[in-house]
Amino acid sequence: MDEISRHVYSEEEKNHIFNEEFLPLIHSMYNFGYRLTLDADDAKDLVQDTYLKAYRFINSFQKGTNAKAWLFRILKNSFINDYRKKSKEPGKVDYQEVEAYYNSDEVDRQITPDLRVESLKDMIGDEISNALNSLEVDFRTVIILCDLEGFTYEEMAKILDIPIGTVRSRLHRARQLLKEKLSSYARSMGYKNT
Amino acid sequence: MNTPFNPFTLPGGEAPTCIEMLQLILDGESTREQLEYFVLHMEQCPPCFQSYEVDMQIRQLLKSKCCREAPSGLKEAIQIKLNGQINF
Ligand SMILES: [Zn+2]
């Protein structure tokens, strides 16, 4: 954590920040934890650990800055350090391959989606959740951060410790993979021309 | 006919592709000017329109189906643990 901008808060200030700024984010934090670990109990532990760490390092949180981005970064780091090994994770993705894909002409042909709004409207069950959970964790993460939590490229880059260009290409690829999954669900639901 | 200025145009004067414009919009990184331009562009570009509609529908699905709430009692459990640590 950033040692340079260290503040020293009084006990009262600490508790105020924790209770008023950190704890109200519990649902977003839990959802992020759940989508990372894909396990309700692990998510609970991960969120709890994150909050305890957040309190311990609260002096490195600058009041008035984005508490949510700060907490999400701690959660993501805790996940990598403590949980990633034991979670059910498919193999890692070769990002160079992803970048190469993004920079190729192949991308443009994807502008016409192989998916219709009508078939999406019929996905009233767990299809979307299953599709999201089936993505490799790094792709899942950017979808959550952008589409559910509304973080900017800059915030995502900080949370994930990656360059903005990588955020952009990862997000692009993640959306495509999600659509591919949803298209295959649509086909299995009987939509001929998905 | 005069073509309106495209606010997505890159500093080098390069014209953006549809997919590049669409991604900036989806990612929430567009300026107000770019958004307005894109709305007009979509009216004349069916692939962009369809793609945008699908992406928005997916986002809506994500928001309605992929936001699990924290189990009740988690907040309290954290507070109890924390109080234990502070007083210790
Ligand atoms: Zn277009």
Side-chain angles (χ1 to χ4, degrees), chain B:
Chain B
M1 250 177 71
N2 60 340
T3 333
F5 172 71
N6 183 341
F8 287 91
T9 304
L10 302 165
E14 246 178 287
T17 62
C18 284
I19 201 131
E20 284 166 346
M21 292 195 283
L22 187 59
Q23 193 182 1
L24 220 53
I25 300 284
L26 288 178
D27 295 352
E29 293 285 332
S30 59
T31 62
R32 195 200 169 100
E33 210 188 359
Q34 287 172 326
L35 186 63
E36 282 167 4
Y37 178 91
F38 188 75
V39 169
L40 292 174
H41 167 82
M42 271 198 301
E43 287 175 10
Q44 288 159 40
C45 182
C48 271
F49 179 76
Q50 280 166 23
S51 201
Y52 180 77
E53 264 206 311
V54 164
D55 284 309
M56 285 299 119
Q57 186 64 33
I58 292 175
R59 185 164 301 179
Q60 217 177 311
L61 273 176
L62 284 167
K63 284 192 170 160
S64 64
K65 300 278 181 185
C66 300
C67 291
R68 278 203 180 204
E69 291 211 335
S72 61
L74 182 56
K75 222 189 234 186
E76 290 72 20
I78 291 167
Q79 277 167 321
I80 288 167
K81 269 221 159 156
L82 204 58
N83 289 334
Q85 282 190 358
I86 296 165
N87 298 332
F88 200 54

Side-chain angles (χ1 to χ4, degrees), chain A residues 12 52 78 177 194:
Chain A
E12 200 185 327
L52 297 181
S78 300
L177 291 168
T194 56

